[in-house]
Amino acid sequence: MLSAITFIPLLGAIIILFLPSDNAIKRFAIIWSIIPLILATIAWVIFPTWPDFTLMGSYCPPDIWVASANTYLGECAPWIPVLGIQYHLGVDGISMPLVWLTTLLTTLGLFYSARVINERVKEFFALFLILEMGMLGVFVSLDLFLFYIFWEIGLVPMYFLIGIWGHDTDRPQYAAIKFFLYTLAGSVFMLLAIIALYLFSTPHTFDITLLTANRDNMPWAKDALISTLAFLGFFLAFAIKMPLFPFHTWLPDAHTAAPTAGSVILAGILLKLGGYGFIRILLPMFPGTFQSLALWIGVLAVISIVYGAFVAMSQNDFKRLVAYSSVNHMGFVILGFAAAAALTNEQVTSPELSNYFNNGAAAINGAVLAMFSHGVITGGLFFLVGMLYERTHTRELAQFGGFMAKVPIYGALLLLTAFASLGLPGLAGFVGEFLVLQGSYTTLTALTFVAVIGIVLTAAYFLWKVIQKVLLGQADEKWAKLPDLKGYEILTLVPLAVLMVLIGIYPSWILDTINQATIVVLKAVGAT
Amino acid sequence: MIQNFTLFIPVFPLLAFAIIVLLTRRNNRLSAWIAIVGIIMALVLSLGVFLESLAEGPELAQHPFYAAPIVWYPYGLATMNFGWFVDPIGSVMLFMVPTVCLMIFIYSVAYMRHSHVDEQGHHIQEDDPRYSHFFAYISLFTAMMLLLVISSSLLQFFIAWEVMGFCSYALIGFWSFRGLKEHHIDEAQVGRARGASIKAFLVTRVGDILLLTGMILLLLVTGTLDFTQMFNPDGLNNVLLADSPLPGMTWLTLIALLIFGGTVGKSAQFPLHIWLPDAMEGPTPVSALIHAATMVSAGIFLIIRMFPLFVVDSQTGGNAMMWVAIIGAFTAIFAATIGLAQNDIKRVLAYSTISQLGYMLAALGIGAFVAGSFHLIMHAFFKALLFLAAGAVIHSVGTNDMLKMGGLWRKMPITFITFMIGAFALMGIFPFAGFWSKDEILLEALRAGFYGEASPQTQTIRFVYICLAIAAFLTALYTGRQIFLTFFGKPRDEHAYEHAHESPITMWAPLAVLATFTTFLGLWNAPFIGAFTHYIGEGGLMGLPQAFEHTAFDQLAWISMFLSLGIAIGGLIVAYLIYGFRPVAAGQPDPFARLGIIYKVLVNKYWLDELYGYKINLDGTVQRGLLIRFAGALSRGSYWLDRKVIDGLVNLAGWFGRILARLWGWFDARIIDGIVNATASVTGEIAGWWRTMQTGDVQNYALIAAAGAMAFAIIFLLRSFT
Amino acid sequence: MINDIPLVYYLSLSAALFCVGLFGALARRNAIAVLMGIELMLNAVNINFVAFWRYGSVNPILNQAGIVFALFVITVAAAEAAVGLALVISIYRSRDTVNVEEIDLLKW
């Protein structure tokens, strides 16, 4: 099932290469992308009831079998036996929502792009599907080599998407190459770390589940230097991707230059690859190192939160403001992970301190949920920005105003999304933020006092810059004939709006899934 | 039995909200009806729960109606649950909130119809363009307030609190959302509404994050946010008393102060009071609903719910409660002073609200739980009444400015009478509601401050009493001023006076109902009846099982009663002397202005907005205070840092990479390739020299061959000889 | 009797003839003169061979390598003279000269 979800987009991309007309390509791509979405939905629905482990494939060594016992829909096959590389896929409660989100956002992005992209259509849709495959692959792969391959696959289509279909006024080539090289630089260090792990493990393996389960017996874990360096290698790659201050400067340029669907995917999913790396690789494999660095990482996270909010407040370009708001939100995610990592071993394992365990779990739950919500909310925001751009051909906030009267449906959806983004309870953003704060007040108390300033600032810049400048006030004459949202645009935004409200009102349905995995991760962290 | 359905109470208005937003947006009448039906059903269910609670009596405090069946989220091995929690004070709130809200809803049906004169001079009455949106928002708001009252968990409470903040934002800025097609407002008003709504949201957000912090710390220390569990003795007495990271403060004090921070924001206490007066830019029913009856009361209700925390804190030497009392008392007198200098009829009421909220907090701060909560309930009724009556005046006269009114008692008798009733209640005149509640508070303060046992808090309580007493005088003074300026004397603006008319029945009927409540509800806790005290005070609170002390009505109580009555009447007399005796004529400045510099300070509200808030000018523009400007500068500075320095480093890396690349390229082309080329050219040179040997002349070749042969021969011969 | 004229006389004669021939081969401009010089050299070599056969070998009657070699040389000289003259004629026909200094097509 997971192989199907991952590779069906690739198959779609290949088929697109043979399709004759633009219309056929567009229709085919949209319909084809619904298939992974349906599969992912089925996978999620049957998720808790699936038996603990499913073998699909001919060969999985027994230790991998045992080690993956907490992943579902597992698939295992030897790939390059000489190097010990397996084709090992699997999802758990943390990757399942992200996989589903990927398929959803891709479908929505393709659906929207079908109306907006009209040149070099074939390349666009093919690249988009290949990108989807790359992202899905990262979330499901349980072998580090495979992980790395999919990680890199995700870079190239994005580069082209930004460079070719980006808006000309935003230096798309500069943004694209900056994005590509910066992220590549980080992932090169990750490659070094992966190789180091391989070389210093007995037996030599790339498998994530094995490395995590047998962590305490592995030479790389016992050697402080190796594990620190490997940690830093991974950390650099993920920090650049997330992005974490001060590695964030590629984000505003990439976002402003990218076409709408590209931005949605970039903000919605690609940033989450970094966070996913934190929880899948950094926390379970390097708990000791992470714990000793947790304070510093927390500091960087808090700086991201506050600084990102401050910078967002002074933006005059709508898209750039949303890009900086991403930095702000991702800061919360990293704060959650750092908070969970800062738990000492005793706090995780001792039953009297179960409060700490629960709050640490809350931090991880919150961070993962924050990733999911951010994908939904900021994806929605970028769609909204793009729709506005299509009508006005500018993104300057100073030129907007009075849109609540002119385009009321757009205004209502922007209002909803903006309030969700600033973390109003009852909407998606709040739950993740609250859980993260719950966790980080436990372990990183002083830092969190600073982080909450970011919440006030976020409210300020959203209310002032986004809602007031765009929706309220008086409309300039040149916007007299602004058309309201058309059917396809509403259809793109409605699923996201429904998700925002649903998660905000009753988050159990998603947190149950995430929590299962979180408990396992935390227990793995504690076990020594 | 009915209590099992408590959680349905907020569902009805919430459904009304959803239906209006999604389905009946375009039909104004239908939307209003749906909203009213929603609140009526909530009211019916609430009254049912209230009556059931009354039947339980005071024991309800220790055995409340409670269940927390909804798992909101799991975290680790624990879960955060939501449900309902009804104790005596909660049930009284359940009585008050839907009743007042229903009155406001009915009132709004007519209020949101505006009249204007069109080009032909006809008077046109038409609904507000966003009529149905208004009812949607107030339905959502009411649903959230009801949810807040019945919350079983502090997190649930907080969520309702925040969504109410959103509704407040949307409703204060109600007229700024659509644009300028309205005839009854001008551009300045729209601008002011816009600024006011953001100001309200942001200032309360500051309070909210303090509350959020306190809430999470409480969760950390006690492991739960459920009201039935968080006050367990073990947690209260042991864990919370550990020292917090801040020096000299236990966790308990810290958490209590942070939670109080939330109240300071939401209930507009100093220094976060700056949003409430500007919030008057919203329609009057909004002011009545949010800023009299419900939202600001939520802040007080928070302290009520968390009261055990404060009590244990003060018993163990913390000073959280003292701060509550000090800030409450200070705000009471502070706001009253500013209220004296306001000319906008609603702003006087706004400052009056801030002041009365300070009263309640001061009461709670000195431990007078019953008195404080009683005043909360009473205040909701009479303040809503006052706002609605003021709104009736505004609606008919067309202006908020009291200096343009005058002599309206003839034209709007019902409004006048109901306003007077509300005003008397506010001033604390027998037998209206405010008298009983305010008197209680003053009595408690007097008793504890001057006649009680000496304790570290005595000084504070004396300070509180003095502040509250002076504030009572000032309250009577500015309320009297308001009455005399608005209803008595000669009309100052002929045009406005002509316009004035009594409101339609949908507007004066709620006024009458509220006036009735105001008149008779106070008797509920009249000293010889004391039903409220018995109901609320006997059972104590969850986590505080001992009953609240109640001293019988003794001599001191009589003295205090006459004293407070005297203060109130005294203030009224002074107001009469200044404003009633010789009414202010048209064009004449406010007599109060003769106080010169004092008046100037008050009119400018102590210039606090210019310091840390932002001032909304009359024409709708906004003047940012110093703190905001600082934040703006910080923001621009951060962007500069990001663009030039951090990104500059990245670009520097890129530039550096390019330079390095060029250098390497030069190196490769010139030097490494140069070696290769040099090799070739040297070879060529040498070959150039060598080829000259080919002369083409055979004899040369032969000569060389011969010479060579001879050389060989000679060498050979020589060798063979040696 | 036979040893009355010392070997050296013969050898010096041969050497002298050889040098004369060498001079002629290297210094004469006319191609035919060069060929004549080459003939002289060959004949000088012949004299050398015969002289060493008569005076150097142990048993001149049995060990006749010297005079046989001289016969070979004469034969080769004759053939070579014929070929050389043919070449000269060919060059004369194409270049219209027999001056060796003018035949320098292999010059660099």
Side-chain angles (χ1 to χ4, degrees):
Chain A
M1 162 95 73
L2 287 180
S3 296
I5 298 180
T6 312
F7 288 108
I8 282 180
L10 181 64
L11 188 60
I14 296 176
I15 296 179
I16 283 183
L17 294 177
F18 296 108
L19 290 180
S21 77
D22 279 359
N23 274 333
I25 292 176
K26 290 179 182 178
R27 267 189 229 125
F28 171 78
I30 295 172
I31 296 178
W32 192 259
S33 69
I34 295 184
I35 302 179
L37 179 59
I38 295 178
L39 286 177
T41 314
I42 297 176
W44 197 351
V45 164
I46 64 176
F47 188 72
T49 62
W50 198 270
D52 270 1
F53 178 70
T54 309
L55 253 183
M56 284 167 68
S58 52
Y59 169 77
C60 241
D63 32 5
I64 290 191
W65 180 5
V66 169
S68 331
N70 296 302
T71 63
Y72 301 92
L73 303 173
E75 296 174 16
C76 203
W79 188 20
I80 309 179
V82 174
L83 291 174
I85 299 177
Q86 312 263 341
Y87 176 76
H88 189 193
L89 305 184
V91 284
D92 68 352
I94 292 177
S95 38
M96 187 75 245
L98 294 171
V99 165
W100 187 84
L101 185 66
T102 309
T103 55
L104 177 73
L105 282 181
T106 310
T107 307
L108 291 177
L110 287 173
F111 181 71
Y112 181 77
S113 301
R115 299 294 193 108
V116 173
I117 303 283
N118 288 314
E119 41 173 60
R120 303 180 73 167
V121 169
K122 184 179 280 196
E123 290 93 322
F124 184 91
F125 283 82
L127 283 171
F128 213 91
L129 285 174
I130 297 178
L131 181 60
E132 182 186 8
M133 174 193 85
M135 300 185 292
L136 286 170
V138 171
F139 286 131
V140 303
S141 58
L142 287 178
D143 182 289
L144 278 176
F145 195 77
L146 204 59
F147 181 90
Y148 185 77
I149 290 181
F150 280 117
W151 181 281
E152 294 294 308
I153 288 181
L155 285 187
V156 174
M158 199 69 228
Y159 168 76
F160 284 115
L161 285 174
I162 299 177
I164 302 181
W165 291 275
H167 307 296
D168 283 320
T169 48
D170 300 304
R171 302 192 294 168
Q173 281 83 34
Y174 166 74
I177 201 94
K178 189 173 180 182
F179 158 77
F180 191 79
L181 287 180
Y182 211 148
T183 327
L184 190 65
S187 32
V188 162
F189 285 103
M190 176 163 77
L191 183 61
L192 282 177
I194 293 178
I195 296 177
L197 284 184
Y198 174 77
L199 291 175
F200 284 93
S201 54
T202 53
H204 293 306
T205 175
F206 279 106
D207 195 277
I208 294 180
T209 50
L210 266 183
L211 286 170
T212 316
N214 299 336
R215 174 190 74 217
D216 303 310
N217 301 325
M218 295 271 184
W220 57 261
K222 294 188 191 145
D223 183 339
L225 180 65
I226 300 284
S227 66
T228 310
L229 287 177
F231 177 86
L232 288 175
F234 278 114
F235 174 73
L236 196 63
F238 300 142
I240 293 179
K241 199 74 167 183
M242 284 232 59
L244 180 64
F245 179 93
F247 307 111
H248 62 283
T249 49
W250 61 269
L251 188 71
D253 290 313
H255 266 136
T256 43
T260 306
S263 290
V264 167
I265 289 287
L266 181 57
I269 308 292
L270 277 170
L271 300 187
K272 315 302 179 288
L273 297 183
Y276 177 73
F278 265 90
I279 186 67
R280 175 66 74 216
I281 298 178
L282 281 184
L283 192 56
M285 288 195 208
F286 305 95
T289 324
F290 205 165
Q291 198 226 347
S292 49
L293 291 174
L295 185 63
W296 296 110
I297 298 179
V299 168
L300 285 180
V302 171
I303 296 179
S304 284
I305 296 174
V306 179
Y307 175 86
F310 262 124
V311 180
M313 196 146 55
S314 70
Q315 292 305 318
N316 291 319
D317 178 327
F318 200 171
K319 216 167 179 187
R320 209 167 251 269
L321 183 143
V322 182
Y324 276 110
S325 85
S326 284
V327 176
N328 171 298
H329 284 111
M330 286 294 119
F332 270 105
V333 175
I334 302 177
L335 183 64
F337 288 135
L343 289 172
T344 62
N345 226 1
E346 201 210 327
Q347 284 168 332
V348 172
T349 47
S350 125
E352 296 94 45
L353 295 174
S354 68
N355 226 11
Y356 282 92
F357 179 85
N358 287 336
N359 285 341
I364 298 181
N365 282 352
V368 177
L369 184 62
M371 288 205 284
F372 187 89
S373 333
H374 177 262
V376 173
I377 296 172
T378 310
L381 272 177
F382 275 115
F383 271 126
L384 286 163
V385 171
M387 292 170 192
L388 198 60
Y389 183 79
E390 289 297 318
R391 288 164 171 72
T392 60
H393 297 292
T394 175
R395 288 194 308 265
E396 256 181 84
L397 287 168
Q399 302 211 18
F400 296 149
F403 285 169
M404 196 61 149
K406 292 259 168 279
V407 281
I409 305 181
Y410 178 86
L413 283 168
L414 182 60
L415 198 69
L416 178 71
T417 317
F419 270 102
S421 189
L422 70 86
L424 187 74
L427 296 175
F430 171 71
V431 190
E433 260 176 34
F434 181 80
L435 282 167
V436 165
L437 289 175
Q438 182 182 339
S440 64
Y441 265 120
T442 312
T443 45
L444 298 172
T445 321
L447 276 181
T448 319
F449 277 108
V450 179
V452 290
I453 298 178
I455 299 184
V456 181
L457 292 172
T458 310
Y461 73 75
F462 262 105
L463 284 182
W464 173 39
K465 285 256 146 124
V466 175
I467 297 182
Q468 179 170 337
K469 277 217 175 3
V470 174
L471 295 180
L472 306 180
Q474 236 197 317
D476 206 294
E477 271 140 31
K478 59 182 173 222
W479 308 135
K481 295 247 178 35
L482 219 55
D484 205 347
L485 289 188
K486 305 195 189 80
Y488 75 92
E489 292 171 319
I490 299 182
L491 209 55
T492 313
L493 290 172
V494 158
L496 298 175
V498 166
L499 271 176
M500 280 183 234
V501 174
L502 213 56
I503 298 178
I505 296 184
Y506 188 60
S508 269
W509 63 277
I510 185 176
L511 274 169
D512 270 330
T513 315
I514 300 179
N515 195 40
Q516 291 176 33
T518 307
I519 296 181
V520 171
V521 167
L522 263 187
K523 289 214 171 112
V525 165
T528 320
Chain B
M1 194 254 329
I2 300 183
Q3 56 106 351
N4 290 323
F5 296 97
T6 312
L7 212 48
F8 279 87
I9 296 178
V11 168
F12 296 112
L14 195 59
L15 264 178
F17 166 73
I19 294 177
I20 298 177
V21 164
L22 293 173
L23 297 174
T24 67
R25 257 198 324 274
R26 296 187 204 278
N27 189 331
N28 290 342
R29 290 279 146 256
L30 190 56
S31 301
W33 267 112
I34 290 177
I36 292 182
V37 164
I39 183 78
I40 288 180
M41 290 172 67
L43 176 63
V44 165
L45 197 50
S46 305
L47 283 179
V49 176
F50 174 59
L51 289 173
E52 236 184 44
S53 317
L54 272 182
E56 288 284 324
E59 292 88 47
L60 196 61
Q62 299 305 318
H63 305 277
F65 293 149
Y66 164 78
I70 301 180
V71 174
W72 211 56
Y73 65 76
Y75 59 105
L77 301 164
T79 57
M80 183 72 75
N81 283 15
F82 286 175
W84 68 89
F85 174 87
V86 181
D87 63 353
I89 184 66
S91 66
V92 177
M93 291 287 282
L94 268 183
F95 158 69
M96 180 268 280
V97 169
T99 313
V100 174
C101 289
L102 177 61
M103 296 302 120
I104 297 175
F105 274 51
I106 297 176
Y107 179 90
S108 307
V109 172
Y111 187 84
M112 295 308 283
R113 278 176 81 77
H114 310 295
S115 59
H116 66 275
V117 181
D118 71 359
E119 300 87 42
Q120 282 97 6
H122 299 141
H123 281 260
I124 308 257
Q125 274 231 321
E126 53 179 18
D127 287 342
D128 192 288
R130 294 176 61 227
Y131 193 86
S132 55
H133 293 220
F134 184 82
F135 279 94
Y137 280 125
I138 58 177
S139 296
L140 178 64
F141 179 87
T142 315
M144 287 300 114
M145 184 66 196
L146 289 168
L147 184 65
L148 182 131
V149 166
I150 62 170
S151 288
S152 69
S153 157
L154 191 51
L155 181 59
Q156 193 181 356
F157 186 99
F158 183 75
I159 293 178
W161 172 285
E162 287 275 336
V163 181
M164 281 206 293
F166 164 70
C167 292
S168 165
Y169 165 80
L171 285 166
I172 294 173
F174 186 72
W175 281 319
S176 72
F177 271 61
R178 245 306 164 79
L180 288 182
K181 283 186 234 137
E182 343 250 341
H183 297 276
H184 62 103
I185 50 172
D186 56 14
E187 193 177 326
Q189 202 167 348
V190 169
R192 290 203 301 268
R194 199 164 53 230
S197 59
I198 294 189
K199 191 172 177 183
F201 194 81
L202 289 180
V203 175
T204 49
R205 206 120 251 250
V206 174
D208 292 342
I209 58 170
L210 292 174
L211 174 58
L212 183 67
T213 307
M215 189 165 75
I216 297 181
L217 287 176
L218 189 62
L219 175 61
L220 160 66
V221 174
T222 58
T224 175
L225 284 179
D226 197 290
F227 287 125
T228 51
Q229 290 159 16
M230 72 163 94
F231 300 126
N232 68 81
D234 187 46
L236 271 183
N237 292 321
N238 298 334
V239 184
L240 283 172
L241 291 177
D243 278 324
S244 72
L246 273 104
M249 247 195 237
T250 59
W251 278 117
L252 188 52
T253 315
L254 180 62
I255 292 174
L257 283 174
L258 285 171
I259 291 181
F260 178 56
T263 304
V264 169
K266 210 61 151 194
S267 298
Q269 299 298 292
F270 179 87
L272 294 176
H273 64 282
I274 51 178
W275 64 272
L276 192 54
D278 286 305
M280 296 297 117
E281 297 298 334
T284 309
V286 169
S287 307
L289 183 65
I290 296 183
H291 309 124
T294 45
M295 192 170 93
V296 293
S297 319
I300 312 293
F301 189 65
L302 174 64
I303 305 287
I304 288 179
R305 270 272 185 265
M306 306 302 289
F307 201 63
L309 221 63
F310 288 91
V311 167
V312 174
D313 179 67
S314 75
Q315 279 169 355
T316 54
N319 50 14
M321 235 162 108
M322 186 184 82
W323 276 110
V324 174
I326 292 178
I327 291 185
F330 176 74
T331 308
I333 188 172
F334 170 76
T337 57
I338 303 183
L340 284 174
Q342 299 302 313
N343 293 330
D344 181 319
I345 192 174
K346 279 171 70 174
R347 277 184 204 236
V348 179
L349 292 174
Y351 282 104
S352 156
T353 305
I354 301 176
S355 177
Q356 293 304 306
L357 291 167
Y359 259 92
M360 296 173 218
L361 282 177
L364 290 173
I366 62 175
F369 180 79
V370 177
S373 27
F374 192 55
H375 194 54
L376 173 63
I377 307 291
M378 295 298 112
H379 172 265
F381 280 102
F382 63 70
K383 198 38 84 52
L385 170 61
L386 281 170
F387 267 111
L388 292 185
V393 171
I394 297 172
H395 196 242
S396 73
V397 168
T399 174
N400 286 18
D401 193 344
M402 291 195 293
L403 291 179
K404 292 209 181 93
M405 301 178 191
L408 286 174
W409 70 272
R410 282 183 217 99
K411 283 263 183 145
M412 312 176 65
I414 305 180
T415 311
F416 168 63
I417 294 177
T418 49
F419 193 94
M420 290 293 281
I421 293 177
F424 281 153
L426 176 57
M427 290 192 265
I429 296 189
F430 177 90
F432 298 102
F435 170 67
W436 305 108
S437 52
K438 241 178 168 175
D439 176 51
E440 264 304 297
I441 298 177
L442 286 170
L443 172 61
E444 291 295 326
L446 190 62
R447 194 192 298 280
F450 294 93
Y451 296 93
E453 316 137 8
S455 76
Q457 286 103 1
T458 311
Q459 289 287 51
T460 314
I461 301 181
R462 287 188 191 171
F463 168 76
V464 165
Y465 179 75
I466 296 175
C467 282
L468 291 183
I470 300 179
F473 176 76
L474 292 174
T475 306
L477 184 56
Y478 65 66
T479 314
R481 170 177 179 263
Q482 191 173 23
I483 297 176
F484 289 120
L485 277 179
T486 310
F487 291 104
F488 288 103
K490 295 229 181 19
R492 282 178 278 280
D493 184 326
E494 279 307 321
H495 179 77
Y497 186 69
E498 266 188 35
H499 233 263
H501 56 274
E502 189 57 79
S503 340
I505 180 167
T506 44
M507 277 171 73
W508 65 253
L511 290 179
V513 170
L514 287 172
T516 316
F517 273 115
T518 311
T519 315
F520 295 109
L521 204 56
L523 295 170
W524 190 8
N525 205 29
F528 303 107
I529 306 180
F532 187 87
T533 311
H534 172 75
Y535 181 48
I536 303 284
E538 281 300 310
L541 279 177
M542 189 97 224
L544 215 57
Q546 62 272 34
F548 290 101
E549 274 180 31
H550 178 68
T551 334
F553 203 79
D554 59 352
Q555 193 188 27
L556 182 61
W558 280 109
I559 297 177
S560 161
M561 189 169 87
F562 281 115
L563 198 57
S564 44
L565 202 54
I567 292 177
I569 296 185
L572 193 55
I573 293 177
V574 174
Y576 174 71
L577 288 175
I578 303 180
Y579 293 96
F581 191 58
R582 243 178 311 157
V584 181
Q588 235 189 351
D590 193 329
F592 200 35
R594 279 187 229 137
L595 285 176
I597 182 77
I598 300 183
Y599 183 68
K600 193 145 187 250
V601 168
L602 295 180
V603 164
N604 282 305
K605 304 170 270 172
Y606 298 92
W607 285 291
L608 286 175
D609 271 324
E610 283 82 340
L611 187 64
Y612 60 82
Y614 56 90
K615 184 169 146 70
I616 300 176
N617 295 324
L618 276 171
D619 58 1
T621 54
V622 160
Q623 188 188 330
R624 297 194 196 132
L626 292 175
L627 187 68
I628 310 293
R629 286 212 209 138
F630 175 68
L634 213 63
S635 159
R636 282 187 294 281
S638 302
Y639 185 47
W640 178 89
L641 188 78
D642 202 58
R643 202 85 196 254
K644 300 286 175 198
V645 176
I646 298 181
D647 214 22
L649 283 172
V650 174
N651 284 341
L652 194 76
W655 173 86
F656 190 67
R658 267 207 304 280
I659 296 282
L660 209 65
R662 223 176 283 162
L663 205 76
W664 227 247
W666 174 88
F667 186 72
D668 195 58
R670 289 304 175 86
I671 297 183
I672 297 191
D673 221 24
I675 294 177
V676 173
N677 289 342
T679 320
S681 61
V682 162
T683 312
E685 283 295 315
I686 297 177
W689 303 327
W690 279 71
R691 70 175 177 173
T692 53
M693 276 202 296
Q694 303 289 316
T695 56
D697 192 352
V698 185
Q699 287 173 325
N700 283 348
Y701 304 156
L703 175 61
I704 294 176
M710 251 187 277
F712 269 119
I714 293 174
I715 293 173
F716 184 67
L717 275 172
L718 284 176
R719 277 171 129 242
S720 62
F721 280 146
T722 55
Chain C
M1 222 167 73
I2 199 82
N3 296 326
D4 287 337
I5 304 177
L7 175 60
V8 171
Y9 287 20
Y10 285 106
L11 292 182
S12 19
L13 173 65
S14 145
L17 272 179
F18 188 83
C19 289
V20 171
L22 187 62
F23 174 77
L26 293 179
R28 298 296 300 270
R29 278 178 299 160
N30 198 322
I32 299 187
V34 169
L35 282 174
M36 283 198 259
I38 294 176
E39 286 298 311
L40 261 183
M41 277 198 282
L42 288 169
N43 284 318
V45 163
N46 275 342
I47 295 175
N48 211 351
F49 272 127
V50 171
F52 271 112
W53 171 68
R54 186 68 181 77
Y55 286 82
S57 59
V58 172
N59 193 349
I61 311 227
L62 284 178
N63 212 353
Q64 292 169 332
I67 53 176
V68 168
F69 221 117
L71 280 172
F72 267 111
V73 171
I74 289 169
T75 313
V76 168
E80 170 259 327
V83 172
L85 282 170
L87 281 173
V88 169
I89 291 171
S90 171
I91 288 173
Y92 181 71
R93 284 202 184 137
S94 69
R95 295 274 151 196
D96 218 20
T97 177
V98 285
N99 190 337
V100 295
E101 283 170 5
E102 290 169 21
I103 307 169
D104 57 0
L105 283 174
L106 280 178
K107 188 173 177 174
W108 58 268

